[in-house]
């Protein structure tokens, strides 16, 4: 199914979905107002969400990305992430950092998974 991806106001962010990626609603709400929120919909149903916060000139941080459990492993997360990367690249961003609450994966592990 094709996805419709669009930016939504922070007040319309699907917090319940974002809780899949960040279990603290308080933390999510603390960064939403300073961020851009994007939702991915299929047949008018929100299946994914992504939140990106500006960090400085040309730099943004991916704060959260989540896909509904019933839609995981469908490629929706990949499509959403690529769309968001292109959105910021076309907006003049030079760097998109990935923020996460878990220990970072080593660069070797990331490169190995892409081969």
């Amino acid at each position: 199914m094709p996805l419709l991806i669009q930016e939504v106001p922070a007040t319309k962010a699907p917090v319940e979905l974002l809780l899949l990626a960040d279990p603290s609603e308080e933390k999510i709400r603390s960064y939403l107002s300073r961020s851009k929120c994007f939702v991915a919909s299929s047949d008018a149903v929100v299946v994914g969400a992504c939140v990106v916060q500006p960090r400085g000139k040309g730099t943004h941080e991916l704060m959260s990305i989540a896909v509904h459990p019933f839609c995981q492993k469908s490629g929706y997360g990949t499509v959403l992430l690529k769309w968001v990367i292109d959105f910021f690249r076309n907006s003049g961003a030079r760097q998109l950092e990935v923020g996460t609450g878990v220990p970072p994966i080593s660069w070797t592990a990331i490169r190995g998974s892409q081969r």
Side-chain angles (χ1 to χ4, degrees):
M1 298 243 171
L3 285 181
L4 170 64
I5 301 172
Q6 55 192 353
E7 184 177 354
V8 297
T11 56
K12 300 286 186 186
V15 174
E16 305 79 30
L17 185 58
L18 294 170
L19 284 168
L20 294 173
D22 187 341
S24 171
E25 184 172 345
E26 182 179 338
K27 186 174 177 185
I28 292 169
R29 293 197 185 280
S30 75
Y31 60 70
L32 267 178
S33 64
R34 300 181 314 275
S35 304
K36 289 189 177 285
C37 182
F38 303 90
V39 295
S41 303
S42 178
D43 288 333
V45 175
V46 174
V47 297
C50 181
V51 178
V52 178
Q53 188 174 72
R55 286 295 184 204
K57 187 175 180 181
T59 301
H60 296 77
E61 182 178 353
L62 178 73
M63 302 297 289
S64 182
I65 185 167
V67 174
H68 191 283
F70 291 115
C71 298
Q72 292 176 3
K73 300 190 186 269
S74 65
Y76 288 164
T78 300
V79 172
L80 176 57
L81 182 58
K82 286 181 178 180
W83 191 95
V84 168
I85 289 169
D86 287 343
F87 175 89
F88 283 97
R89 181 181 291 134
N90 293 335
S91 298
R94 294 184 323 240
Q95 186 171 347
L96 181 61
E97 300 172 344
V98 178
T100 177
V102 297
I105 299 172
S106 73
W107 176 244
T108 305
I110 294 171
R111 283 195 330 225
S113 68
Q114 293 180 346
R115 289 185 182 164

